[in-house]
Amino acid sequence: SGFFEKLGIAFQIIDDVLNLEGFDNAHKQTAEDISAGKVTYPIAKSIQYLNKDELYWIGEVLKSKTDDSKSHQLIIDRLRTSDVLDICRKEAQQLIDEGWQSLDAEFPQSHTKLVLRAFSHYIINRTN
């Protein structure tokens, strides 16, 4: 797939991670995806790293669409301690790097190319 497709997927992965880690602004509430019962990328990725009982419990919390911040925090803590959130960030970075390699070879150096590269770095390192 092309650079912009990979950029879009990386953006969504980072957005899902930030939803669990918290945003630097008040535009979105932390763990609102859990409250909505959404299976986001980090939740799906956790299937590879958590045990059956943990996954069952997370599934039950998602199905209940609870606003219980304690349950939300337990899920976030478990995703953090199992390195799922870091793994998701690394996968997003890898997508950007792969996409950039193909784009970089196709276009000569220019201001537009520089801005696009800076934007891709922003996607990975954003906090809001």
Side-chain angles (χ1 to χ4, degrees):
S1 59
F3 173 75
F4 291 102
E5 182 178 351
K6 289 178 189 278
L7 183 69
I9 294 168
F11 180 91
Q12 187 58 56
I13 291 170
I14 296 299
D15 193 64
D16 290 348
V17 169
L18 286 173
N19 185 267
L20 298 171
E21 290 182 334
F23 295 89
D24 276 355
N25 59 37
H27 291 115
K28 290 187 177 183
Q29 177 184 355
T30 300
E32 70 180 11
D33 289 342
I34 294 173
S35 294
K38 293 180 182 178
V39 178
T40 60
Y41 191 79
I43 297 291
K45 190 72 178 170
S46 73
I47 292 170
Q48 298 175 24
Y49 300 94
L50 303 182
N51 68 46
K52 185 172 53 172
D53 291 336
E54 291 171 315
L55 294 170
Y56 177 79
W57 177 74
I58 289 172
E60 291 300 306
V61 172
L62 292 175
K63 281 195 303 189
S64 73
K65 297 184 179 181
T66 181
D67 288 330
D68 177 32
S69 61
K70 184 177 178 184
S71 294
H72 297 173
Q73 193 58 53
L74 288 171
I75 291 172
I76 293 165
D77 290 346
R78 189 61 190 109
L79 294 176
R80 190 174 284 129
T81 61
S82 64
D83 293 327
V84 169
L85 298 180
D86 287 339
I87 290 165
C88 290
R89 283 188 173 280
K90 287 176 185 168
E91 288 183 7
Q93 180 67 59
Q94 184 177 354
L95 282 166
I96 295 288
D97 292 344
E98 289 171 1
W100 185 256
Q101 285 177 355
S102 63
L103 185 78
D104 190 32
E106 293 292 320
F107 297 97
Q109 294 294 52
S110 67
H111 177 72
T112 302
K113 189 174 172 182
L114 179 66
V115 169
L116 190 55
R117 185 63 174 158
F119 179 68
S120 67
H121 283 289
Y122 165 76
I123 293 297
I124 295 301
N125 298 305
R126 72 191 186 97
T127 58
N128 57 30

